[in-house]
Amino acid sequence: MRALRIAVIGHLRHPITRPFMGGMEAHTWHLVRGLQARGHEVVLFASGDSDPGLPLHPVIPRHYDLDYPWHDFRGTQRLNALLSVWHEAMMRDILAGGFDIIHNNGLHALPLQTAAWQRVAMLTSLHVPPFHTLRKAVQDCVAPWSLVTACTGRHLADYWPAPPPQAHVQSNGIDLADWPFRAAGNGQAVWAGRITPNKGPHLAIAAARLAGIPLTLFGAIEDESYFRDQIRPVLSGGIRYAGHLESHDLAQQIGRASVALFTPLWDEPFGLAAIEAMACGLPVAAIRNGAVDEVIGEAGAYAAPDAPDLARALAQAIARAVKIPRHIPRARVERLFSLDRMLDGYQALYHDAMAGRAANAA
């Protein structure tokens, strides 16, 4: 494919910078860097406190969670009005920027609506389960020039029971060099992710205690009261919290362990933390919610989310997972979830969206 001029839209809640707050931020950062490495001209539309090494066009001076915390302002008229103003200004700048394609990595409906109205080539990558306004925008606005990807088949089916031809599955990918394989572990468990109730670190702790295995948790504390009331009091006897680390340091810590715990208590669309651990060679003990087993596959053991005693079921999954040879998780990531495979898929869809726009113009 010839070099393209690409606008990438990031979610404005958090900065697109290391250490990443979550999977969406990591995905956007690697997407921009990967496209640049392939010779494309990329402009990232995101908060102004994102990584200054990225080709950044600031939409707002700093990420909005600092001034409008999600847990206090989510769904409020005040935040919704601001998001509309910010995205309207963003889309004006993008439409004036002479881009070949827009890669929409955000959660607001306006970019989808603009692409539909203005007949501009766009690829929207979905990262979260459907909520009303996003589902409606996605379903109403897909077109031959405005394509959509979900990160798993289960995720796509949540948006459409019978997906249209403009909707595709494109798995997330990671840079394998960032997550080096280790042939042996130290007999301990790890958990990584945002410290918030729907990520289930409290269940990881309970299961590790039942399994008799030390556990280290890593990640940003998103819900301070949850950490204070349910996590900090049980950090003892081999259970510890080691902070929010840069990906290089996190990979070194994760790679030493023998098993990763993955404990979503929501309809998990993918599971980036799981494939990062798998790349290091860790089998995964997981709660089977959403697309978890579609992603982890033969590299894991599972607890049913409706188990009468979920912590005990997860402890039993730990005992099964540690027996999985470490080359199996690594091989699965190499086969299905590399950054190059993801970028290849996106580039093919860019071509399809631009061809759809050209055919419509003709």
Side-chain angles (χ1 to χ4, degrees):
M1 176 179 282
R2 67 177 176 85
L4 301 176
R5 180 166 166 78
I6 305 171
V8 174
I9 297 174
H11 188 30
L12 302 178
R13 182 184 172 193
H14 299 299
I16 311 303
T17 191
R18 288 174 160 167
F20 302 117
M21 186 65 181
M24 285 186 65
E25 292 73 35
H27 180 275
T28 303
W29 191 92
H30 284 286
L31 172 66
V32 171
R33 293 285 298 265
L35 291 172
Q36 285 186 300
R38 293 187 171 205
H40 300 295
E41 181 186 355
V42 185
V43 178
L44 171 63
F45 291 78
S47 66
D49 51 356
S50 296
D51 186 344
L54 297 176
L56 182 64
H57 180 110
V59 178
I60 52 178
R62 62 182 193 169
H63 64 287
Y64 74 73
D65 207 58
L66 287 175
D67 303 304
Y68 304 96
W70 187 252
H71 296 289
D72 297 329
F73 287 90
R74 178 185 181 186
T76 63
Q77 185 175 358
R78 185 176 181 185
L79 180 56
N80 286 344
L82 286 168
L83 288 169
S84 294
V85 170
W86 296 332
H87 283 85
E88 286 169 5
M90 177 202 303
M91 293 313 298
R92 284 196 298 270
D93 291 342
I94 289 175
L95 291 175
F99 293 98
D100 295 300
I101 183 80
I102 303 166
H103 194 135
N104 176 22
N105 228 22
L107 298 178
H108 201 270
L110 189 61
L112 282 151
Q113 294 163 346
T114 303
W117 298 335
Q118 299 290 335
R119 304 291 202 273
V120 294
M122 176 182 283
L123 177 65
T124 295
S125 291
L126 301 171
H127 298 282
V128 299
F131 56 89
H132 175 70
T133 54
L134 183 60
R135 187 205 300 266
K136 187 175 190 314
V138 166
Q139 293 179 345
D140 289 350
C141 297
V142 291
W145 59 88
S146 184
L147 309 182
V148 170
T149 65
C151 46
T152 56
R154 168 63 183 269
H155 187 211
L156 185 60
D158 287 341
Y159 280 84
W160 284 283
Q166 296 87 10
H168 305 265
V169 173
Q170 176 54 62
S171 297
N172 295 333
I174 60 173
D175 188 341
L176 292 166
D178 287 346
W179 303 93
F181 175 74
R182 288 202 178 193
N186 59 10
Q188 300 185 17
V190 292
W191 181 98
R194 288 178 286 115
I195 309 293
T196 193
N198 72 355
K199 293 289 187 177
H202 60 284
L203 270 170
I205 292 171
R209 288 200 188 282
L210 288 169
I213 188 170
L215 170 68
T216 303
L217 299 97
F218 301 94
I221 299 172
E222 182 176 88
D223 189 324
E224 292 280 355
S225 61
Y226 169 70
F227 181 80
R228 181 190 65 239
D229 296 339
Q230 296 193 47
I231 303 301
R232 183 182 290 141
V234 292
L235 296 178
S236 63
I239 309 295
R240 70 188 186 101
Y241 169 63
H244 188 201
L245 305 184
E246 296 276 0
S247 55
H248 176 268
D249 295 330
L250 181 60
Q252 294 300 312
Q253 295 294 325
I254 286 177
R256 296 189 180 105
S258 293
V259 63
L261 307 189
F262 191 63
T263 53
L265 298 179
W266 66 318
D267 193 12
E268 178 64 58
F270 188 73
L272 198 64
I275 65 167
E276 290 168 348
M278 288 160 58
C280 297
L282 274 66
V284 183
I287 298 172
R288 187 182 261 125
N289 267 325
V292 163
D293 56 349
E294 184 180 340
V295 172
I296 298 171
E298 71 280 4
Y302 306 95
D306 57 353
D309 186 341
L310 187 51
R312 188 165 299 280
L314 185 60
Q316 293 166 352
I318 293 171
R320 298 193 301 273
V322 294
K323 299 176 183 177
I324 298 172
R326 290 174 73 95
H327 71 272
I328 291 177
R330 175 70 182 196
R332 184 172 178 83
V333 178
E334 289 175 344
R335 186 172 73 254
L336 299 176
F337 305 123
S338 70
L339 180 61
D340 279 335
R341 188 177 187 273
M342 181 184 78
L343 293 173
D344 287 345
Y346 285 152
Q347 287 188 160
L349 292 171
Y350 295 164
H351 173 81
D352 290 348
M354 290 187 297
R357 177 186 58 186
N360 179 261

